[in-house]
Amino acid sequence: MSEKKIVEIKDLKKDYGQKGFLTNVLKGIDMTIYSNDFIAIMGPSGSGKTTLLNILSSIDKPTQGRVLLDGKDISKISNNELSEIRREKIGFVFQDYNLLDTMTLQDNIALPLSLNGVGGKRCVEKSKELGEMFGLTEHLNKYPYQLSGGQKQRGAVCRALITEPEILFADEPTGALDSKSGKDLLECFKGVNERNQAAILMVTHDAFCASYAKNVYILSDGVIKYKLQRNGRRKEFYDYIIEIQAAVGGELGDEVGVGL
């Protein structure tokens, strides 16, 4: 059985600025993301990682090229239809958690379902299910200020998954975490993908973080320079990423890996 295409981009280009002062951030990228994919995007600062993530997740629009999300060209559908796709098909995980301080963790997790009009009983049931899955059961009634960074980020993943999206976008998800919390989160991502809960596309500077993915795309100067596929153990894939990192100039970013 073939895997479903979730996102497809063709000849994607993105410019910023005005005529005569244009900056070409993305210079013609093709990519297809399937339902079982776990992809990490790497590259030096200014390579276009975040721009690519924003376009893939429908936050930004390309200057040229097509972006098909759930089989629909996002440049040709109404804002209402695009909003519906975002609510039902896409989950987001950000570096700074974006939890609401005035709500308990359980309420934060349940918020997307509640906004979609789902009844309170189902919201509570679903948030508890995800909380148990991510080791947060005893923390669900706490407020964000009472939680560690790792607990908050796992809660953010639960919130992103509660609508059962087809794809999860993560922007530097371990950037604000310590070593253990970062590793715990990456194991959570791995479990999400292996249980076929969602495809994952993650932007990261960190080779250790990227080594949890099935495929790593390395951007350089607005194009995909390397496509790396994991065929063996994670440690071997990590070593391979480091080797390629050295080949493109020894620096894909400023952050230090969370440890092996």
Side-chain angles (χ1 to χ4, degrees):
M1 181 178 177
S2 60
E3 295 294 335
K4 178 182 177 181
K5 289 182 182 179
I6 306 299
V7 180
E8 186 176 10
I9 59 175
K10 299 178 180 179
D11 192 29
L12 188 71
K13 297 179 181 179
K14 181 66 178 179
D15 302 330
Y16 289 107
Q18 298 179 346
K19 189 174 182 180
F21 300 94
L22 285 178
T23 299
N24 309 120
V25 180
L26 299 177
K27 302 177 182 179
I29 291 179
D30 298 295
M31 179 187 295
T32 302
I33 303 172
Y34 294 91
S35 57
N36 67 334
D37 279 345
F38 184 174
I39 296 171
I41 304 291
M42 300 186 74
S45 297
S47 62
K49 300 186 303 297
T50 299
T51 299
L52 178 59
L53 176 70
N54 288 342
I55 292 174
L56 287 171
S57 60
S58 78
I59 292 174
D60 198 359
K61 294 184 178 180
T63 303
Q64 181 177 317
R66 299 179 67 200
V67 181
L68 303 177
L69 183 58
D70 197 35
K72 300 175 181 178
D73 189 335
I74 63 173
S75 67
K76 297 180 180 179
I77 62 178
S78 68
N79 288 333
N80 287 340
E81 192 173 3
L82 183 57
S83 295
E84 183 178 346
I85 289 175
R86 286 172 178 159
R87 287 196 308 269
E88 297 181 358
K89 307 292 184 180
I90 295 174
F92 296 91
V93 179
F94 303 98
Q95 181 174 333
D96 57 358
Y97 324 125
N98 285 358
L99 298 178
L100 298 177
D101 292 333
T102 57
M103 301 175 67
T104 65
L105 181 60
Q106 180 169 300
D107 288 342
N108 267 286
I109 293 171
L111 183 60
L113 273 191
S114 179
L115 292 175
N116 284 352
V118 176
K121 183 178 179 181
R122 179 56 182 157
C123 287
V124 170
E125 289 174 351
K126 189 68 176 176
S127 60
K128 286 183 176 180
E129 287 173 10
L130 286 167
E132 182 177 2
M133 188 180 299
F134 286 84
L136 294 169
T137 298
E138 63 188 68
H139 304 293
L140 289 176
N141 291 322
K142 295 180 181 178
Y143 289 86
Y145 71 88
Q146 298 173 302
L147 303 171
S148 69
Q151 291 162 351
K152 285 188 280 191
Q153 192 63 300
R154 280 182 279 138
V157 174
C158 291
R159 181 185 57 192
L161 289 173
I162 199 163
T163 58
E164 299 182 1
E166 293 187 347
I167 186 165
L168 192 66
F169 292 103
D171 188 7
E172 300 286 0
T174 64
L177 303 180
D178 60 38
S179 222
K180 182 181 183 305
S181 297
K183 188 172 181 179
D184 288 346
L185 180 68
L186 292 166
E187 290 291 346
C188 287
F189 277 159
K190 180 182 175 185
V192 165
N193 186 247
E194 289 178 346
R195 290 190 295 268
N196 293 317
Q197 286 178 277
I200 299 173
L201 186 133
M202 170 177 65
V203 165
T204 181
H205 283 90
D206 186 350
F208 177 82
C209 187
S211 71
Y212 274 79
K214 294 175 180 176
N215 296 280
V216 175
Y217 291 4
I218 298 179
L219 297 187
S220 180
D221 196 26
V223 298
I224 296 175
K225 189 80 171 180
Y226 293 94
K227 297 179 182 179
L228 314 181
Q229 183 174 356
R230 178 178 169 181
N231 294 315
R233 298 173 55 206
R234 188 201 59 76
K235 174 62 168 65
E236 294 169 351
F237 194 38
Y238 170 81
D239 292 339
Y240 184 38
I241 295 169
I242 293 294
E243 180 183 336
I244 298 299
Q245 180 177 353
V248 295
E251 185 178 3
L252 291 181
D254 300 320
E255 295 185 22
V256 179
V258 296
L260 289 171

